[in-house]
């Protein structure tokens, strides 16, 4: 009896794990889409498909296991052979994906070396001011899907140079640079009586965020508290 329970457990766990892994990859893909829209999303996309493939394969194996005693031996054996073929295909697909991903990492490393060329050059104060003014005066941070290429076109500088300048002069990366402006805008709205009737969801959308999880993460990072706590601690004061 104990052996049967253990065997059932060993069949259930991979299925649960695989679907949990697929969910985590999907969340990671959404974060990449929001914060790193300048990068290719093919890697996470194919990894998600492969993970779902393994999840469905292990689910099939679980079904075969559960039906093993209620169907004929020939049918169960056929299901098992089919399961082995699917596993073989998925393992080969995972191997190919690993090779392609390794190649992508090498390309990324080569591109990062190119960025170092911009870092070594002295940055003029005018360029730094142009980056800051472009963000502030045009309020580009309110654009929800703003990426570094679009911002660099507004500044009139190559996006790799913009990235290097932000890293060197502002001691942060582009997306944290943008989200700090968004958090400051959200703080202003939370303190303004004009927006007192707006929900926090409305405020985060109006301030440029398109993800609740990202908003709450960055807001707490820069203020030390949640948006709800900030509003409760600093209630809007209506004008006299």
């Amino acid at each position: 009896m104990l052996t049967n329970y253990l065997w059932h457990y060993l069949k259930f766990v991979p299925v649960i794990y695989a679907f949990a892994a697929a969910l985590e990859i999907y969340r990671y893909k959404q974060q990449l889409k929001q914060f790193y829209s300048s990068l290719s999303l093919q890697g996470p996309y194919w990894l998600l498909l492969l993970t779902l493939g393994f999840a469905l394969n292990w689910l099939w194996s679980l079904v075969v296991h559960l039906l093993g005693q209620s169907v004929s031996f020939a049918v169960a054996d056929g299901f098992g052979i089919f399961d082995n073929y699917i596993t073989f295909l998925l393992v080969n697909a995972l191997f190919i994906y690993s090779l392609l991903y390794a190649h992508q990492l090498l390309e990324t490393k080569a591109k990062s070396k190119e960025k170092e060329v911009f870092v070594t050059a002295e940055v003029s104060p005018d360029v730094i001011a142009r980056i800051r003014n472009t963000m502030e005066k045009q309020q580009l941070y309110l654009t929800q899907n703003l990426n570094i290429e679009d911002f660099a076109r507004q500044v009139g500088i190559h996006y790799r140079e913009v990235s290097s300048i932000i890293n060197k002069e502002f001691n942060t990366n582009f997306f944290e640079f943008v989200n700090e402006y968004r958090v400051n805008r959200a703080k202003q709205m939370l303190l303004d009586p004009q927006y007192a009737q707006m929900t926090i969801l409305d405020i985060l959308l109006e301030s440029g965020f398109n993800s609740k999880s990202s908003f709450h993460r960055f807001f707490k990072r820069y203020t030390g508290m949640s948006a709800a706590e900030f509003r409760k601690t600093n209630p809007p004061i209506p004008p006299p």
Side-chain angles (χ1 to χ4, degrees), residues 93-129:
L94 184 61
F95 175 72
I96 294 172
Y97 169 81
S98 300
L99 292 178
L100 294 176
Y101 184 66
H103 177 68
Q104 184 179 2
L105 285 178
L106 291 175
E107 288 184 345
T108 303
K109 186 176 181 181
K111 289 179 179 179
S112 66
K113 290 183 178 180
E114 293 179 8
K115 293 181 182 180
E116 294 177 1
V117 175
F118 298 111
V119 179
T120 56
E122 193 68 27
V123 181
S124 69
D126 290 341
V127 173
I128 299 173

Side-chain angles (χ1 to χ4, degrees), residues 9-221:
Y9 173 79
L10 292 176
K11 287 293 183 179
F12 272 102
V13 168
V15 177
I16 297 173
Y17 173 80
F19 278 106
L23 178 61
E24 191 64 26
I25 294 171
Y26 175 77
R27 290 174 178 171
Y28 174 66
K29 180 175 176 291
Q30 294 301 109
Q31 291 179 353
L32 285 181
K33 187 176 180 180
Q34 179 184 358
F35 294 112
Y36 300 94
S37 52
S38 61
L39 300 179
S40 171
L41 295 176
Q42 294 302 315
Y45 175 75
W46 285 109
L47 181 59
L48 177 61
L49 288 182
L50 280 173
T51 307
L52 285 174
F54 276 105
L56 293 175
N57 182 48
W58 288 334
L59 180 61
W60 174 266
S61 179
L62 174 62
V63 171
V64 172
H65 169 71
L66 294 176
L67 294 178
Q69 297 179 352
S70 59
V71 296
S72 66
F73 176 79
V75 173
D77 189 50
F79 284 165
I81 293 173
F82 179 76
D83 180 53
N84 290 336
Y85 277 118
I86 296 299
T87 302
F88 175 77
L89 291 175
L90 287 171
V91 169
N92 279 275
L94 184 61
F95 175 72
I96 294 172
Y97 169 81
S98 300
L99 292 178
L100 294 176
Y101 184 66
H103 177 68
Q104 184 179 2
L105 285 178
L106 291 175
E107 288 184 345
T108 303
K109 186 176 181 181
K111 289 179 179 179
S112 66
K113 290 183 178 180
E114 293 179 8
K115 293 181 182 180
E116 294 177 1
V117 175
F118 298 111
V119 179
T120 56
E122 193 68 27
V123 181
S124 69
D126 290 341
V127 173
I128 299 173
R130 196 194 314 173
I131 290 175
R132 193 191 304 274
N133 291 336
T134 301
M135 182 65 73
E136 294 176 358
K137 292 182 178 180
Q138 298 186 32
Q139 294 186 317
L140 294 177
Y141 54 88
L142 297 180
T143 305
Q144 291 185 347
N145 295 317
L146 179 67
N147 57 48
I148 193 167
E149 289 95 337
D150 294 336
F151 177 69
R153 278 192 288 270
Q154 295 293 327
V155 178
I157 304 174
H158 194 279
Y159 75 90
R160 288 183 185 147
E161 186 174 0
V162 171
S163 176
S164 297
I165 293 171
I166 291 175
N167 291 339
K168 181 180 179 182
E169 302 298 330
F170 296 93
N171 196 30
T172 187
N173 59 54
F174 172 72
F175 299 98
E176 291 184 350
F177 178 68
V178 175
N179 285 321
E180 186 173 4
Y181 279 101
R182 290 171 174 167
V183 168
N184 288 334
R185 173 59 178 165
K187 287 166 59 180
Q188 292 173 2
M189 295 179 69
L190 289 169
L191 294 172
D192 193 335
Q194 180 182 350
Y195 305 104
Q197 301 303 317
M198 291 182 65
T199 65
I200 291 177
L201 176 60
D202 292 332
I203 288 176
L204 75 88
L205 294 174
E206 288 291 329
S207 58
F209 286 95
N210 61 4
S211 166
K212 290 190 291 185
S213 61
S214 299
F215 169 75
H216 292 306
R217 182 172 68 254
F218 280 102
F219 194 94
K220 192 161 189 179
R221 178 188 299 180

